[in-house]
Amino acid sequence: MRLVPIECIKEGAFLGKTIYDNDGRILLRQGVILNNNYIDRIRQLGIFSLYINDEYSSAEIEDIIKPELRQKSIKTLKNYFSHIQNYHKKNEEYFSSIFDIANSIIDELAGRNDLMVNLVDIKSMDNYTYQHSVNVAILSLIIGIQLQLNKDELYKLCTGALLHDIGKVFIPKEIIQKKEKLLPEEYDLIKEHTTKGYNYLKNNIDISPVSRIIILQHHEKVNGTGYPDGKKGNDINKLARIVAIADVYDALTSDRPYRRAMSPNEAIEYILGSGQTYFDFEMVKVFSECIVPYPVGTLVRLSNNDVAVVEKIFPHFALRPIVKVIKSDNVSTIGKVINMMSELDLVIKETEYAMN
């Protein structure tokens, strides 16, 4: 199974991962043979990348949480945010459902032995905010678990991460969903979502003050160039520093109206390069060890220009997998299995999507 931009998908490929419509109903099930009608329908939903199985890649990759829990979480957030948009008032029933979701995600992740992130979540444009919020919560918890946070801290972290973008409810929808580059004054409006979200929940005693601080500070940067208050280093709440990393990684690996998604390896390189300037460097190191930049099934171009498929990943050495060559100018090399842990003269140059 590999992630491919929709324009690179050919008829006859098998859908590798079930996709859902904007109401959480199954649109196309895993295993469906894709044709141009299906591909066009998916594109109309604002989905621009898909997991496929084809002659090059058919390995199954398990999501880090169950699909049912992911869809339930997205639907819960969507209902909560919609309630705020429509009624502009708090509802204890919705708060309770958010807390239930937080506990369910924590329990599921805490029960796993392997917390490596192999999949990028496929998002539609209309549901982006809710899907993104769930992903940020999952990624934040993975960092938190690796940092050995206690259950109470994980709960506050997850709640704050799920609600980190709640302030966007109070920003005009046409700005949130604008396809063109934002004007400076529009970007200034977007930046208000941190304080608007914090102020909305400020007087709610059911939500921990720490979770509210996450909402306020998740765009602060350790060098003081973030917003809303330009805080630096340890003046930024520890849990907010975690969410800042998860937020940017998930945003970079998501298709947006104004740009296409980065691959996981490109996004993690950006995060690593921004350690000690934008992000807490120790947290970045922990996070980078949990991301698989080239999951099993990915097609990669090697530094000798051969194309290979990733067959096995080594924990903590994800840039040095075992690969199998499927295309080469040297015909005798095709089919060769290479352990990049021992073949140190070879490196992965880039992800390959279309095979000619």
Side-chain angles (χ1 to χ4, degrees), residues 3-7 47-50 120-123 125 128 248-267 351 353:
L3 182 64
V4 179
I6 201 163
E7 65 270 16
I47 296 173
F48 298 109
S49 300
L50 290 177
V120 172
D121 188 43
I122 303 301
K123 304 176 184 70
M125 293 302 171
Y128 172 81
V248 171
Y249 177 81
D250 189 68
L252 291 176
T253 54
S254 301
D255 288 312
R256 303 299 292 124
Y258 45 85
R259 63 155 176 79
R260 297 304 291 270
M262 284 187 184
S263 62
N265 61 293
E266 292 170 321
T351 302
Y353 296 113

